[in-house]
């Protein structure tokens, strides 16, 4: 369009913004628009009391993966059944069941909204072992978290902290009212469990865990330095 034709419509050339001027205006608007970070949901391992084999020796606590999606509401991923018929159970946007049996939880990372949707399709792929006495929901949760990490869920905790997950869950049990620093490990690699120890060993037990925690922090720092 020529300058003459612009004058026919009452427009002067100097009133028509150039493409350069438009780009500058768009750039100024874009710079004022803040980038909204994606919403992240906290992923926790929740443990539940299952009674005792004998006084002061509980059965292995039941573990479940829980993602709170709104206050008091969330998604629960867990095994149900027994050694012969374990199967995965997924409950979405519901209150945590059996909360009266809850014995604490431990945060193991976070997921985005897109990852939260993926959980429903990925977790059923995690292997379930049947008819092996020492294998239970704790093993499934541990395997599930490692599986998510391998699938690129970057905000799930790393290998070293996953290796200490059972210890951390025992620490949480240890802090429950009435237990008071009296949890220890018994058994071997095929029957590892935490039990309630005799209270007269509590001080030695606390010292052991303090040394153990200090060592773990040093190991994590070495891992961090090695990755930089």
């Amino acid at each position: 369009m020529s300058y003459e034709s612009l004058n026919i419509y009452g427009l002067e050339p100097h009133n028509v913004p150039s493409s350069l001027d438009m780009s500058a205006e768009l750039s100024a608007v874009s710079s004022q628009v803040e980038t909204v970070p994606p919403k992240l949901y906290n992923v926790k391992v929740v443990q539940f009391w299952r009674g005792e084999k004998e006084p002061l020796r509980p059965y292995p606590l039941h573990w479940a993966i829980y993602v709170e999606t709104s206050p008091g509401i969330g998604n629960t991923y867990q095994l149900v059944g027994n050694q012969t018929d374990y199967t995965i159970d997924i409950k979405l946007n519901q209150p945590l069941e059996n909360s009266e049996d809850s014995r604490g939880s431990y945060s193991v990372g976070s997921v985005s909204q897109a990852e939260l949707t993926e959980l429903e399709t990925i977790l059923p792929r995690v292997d379930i072992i049947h008819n092996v006495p020492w294998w239970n929901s704790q093993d499934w949760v541990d395997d599930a978290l490692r599986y998510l990490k391998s699938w690129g869920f970057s905000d799930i905790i790393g290998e070293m902290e996953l290796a200490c997950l059972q210890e951390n869950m025992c620490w949480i049990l240890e802090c429950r009212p009435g237990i008071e620093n009296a949890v220890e490990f018994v058994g071997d690699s095929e029957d590892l469990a935490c039990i309630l120890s005799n209270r007269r060993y509590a001080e030695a037990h606390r010292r052991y865990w303090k040394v153990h925690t200090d060592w773990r922090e040093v190991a994590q720092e070495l891992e961090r330095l090695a990755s930089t």
Side-chain angles (χ1 to χ4, degrees):
M1 183 179 290
S2 66
Y3 290 163
E4 289 78 8
S5 60
L6 287 171
N7 285 328
I8 294 175
Y9 296 98
L11 297 174
E12 296 294 334
H14 66 274
N15 291 330
V16 181
S18 66
S19 60
L20 180 61
D21 293 333
M22 290 295 290
S23 299
E25 290 179 12
L26 290 173
S27 176
V29 171
S30 298
S31 65
Q32 295 175 9
V33 177
E34 295 183 359
T35 301
V36 179
K39 181 176 177 59
L40 295 178
Y41 299 92
N42 193 24
V43 181
K44 295 180 179 180
V45 175
V46 183
Q47 60 185 358
F48 298 89
W49 186 257
R50 295 177 55 243
E52 297 177 309
K53 298 178 183 178
E54 57 188 60
L56 300 182
R57 182 158 185 174
Y59 288 106
L61 273 63
H62 174 71
W63 286 8
I65 296 174
Y66 180 70
V67 183
E68 188 174 64
T69 54
S70 60
I73 301 294
N75 298 352
T76 303
Y77 312 87
Q78 63 183 332
L79 285 188
V80 294
N82 55 47
Q83 294 176 1
T84 60
D85 60 3
Y86 279 138
T87 187
I88 185 173
D89 177 68
I90 298 176
K91 289 184 171 59
L92 304 179
N93 296 315
Q94 297 183 29
L96 188 64
E97 292 185 338
N98 302 321
S99 57
E100 67 279 3
D101 292 327
S102 173
R103 293 298 184 270
S105 64
Y106 182 75
S107 179
V108 291
S110 59
V111 293
S112 65
Q113 178 62 59
E115 290 173 328
L116 186 62
T117 302
E118 289 182 55
L119 287 179
E120 297 171 45
T121 58
I122 291 178
L123 290 182
R125 304 177 191 174
V126 179
D127 288 339
I128 297 176
I129 309 299
H130 295 105
N131 300 315
V132 176
W134 54 264
W135 196 92
N136 57 39
S137 63
Q138 297 186 16
D139 298 283
W140 182 84
V141 166
D142 184 74
D143 290 344
L145 294 172
R146 294 173 193 275
Y147 195 71
L148 292 176
K149 190 71 175 179
S150 70
W151 267 80
F153 284 61
S154 57
D155 289 327
I156 296 296
I157 59 177
E159 183 71 23
M160 180 169 288
E161 195 167 358
L162 279 170
C164 299
L165 182 57
Q166 190 177 47
E167 298 173 20
N168 290 328
M169 298 303 282
C170 271
W171 266 112
I172 293 169
L173 176 62
E174 190 175 40
C175 295
R176 297 289 299 185
I179 294 178
E180 300 173 357
N181 300 306
V183 173
E184 66 177 0
F185 288 110
V186 296
D188 53 28
S189 60
E190 293 187 351
D191 187 30
L192 186 64
C194 56
I195 66 167
L196 310 188
S197 174
N198 189 305
R199 292 176 186 273
R200 67 191 179 93
Y201 295 116
E203 183 59 36
H205 182 73
R206 281 195 293 268
R207 287 198 300 269
Y208 167 79
W209 277 106
K210 177 64 170 60
V211 172
H212 188 81
T213 302
D214 291 344
W215 175 88
R216 185 167 66 242
E217 290 175 353
V218 170
Q220 290 173 340
E221 179 64 16
L222 291 175
E223 182 184 46
R224 186 189 67 81
L225 292 174
S227 63
T228 57

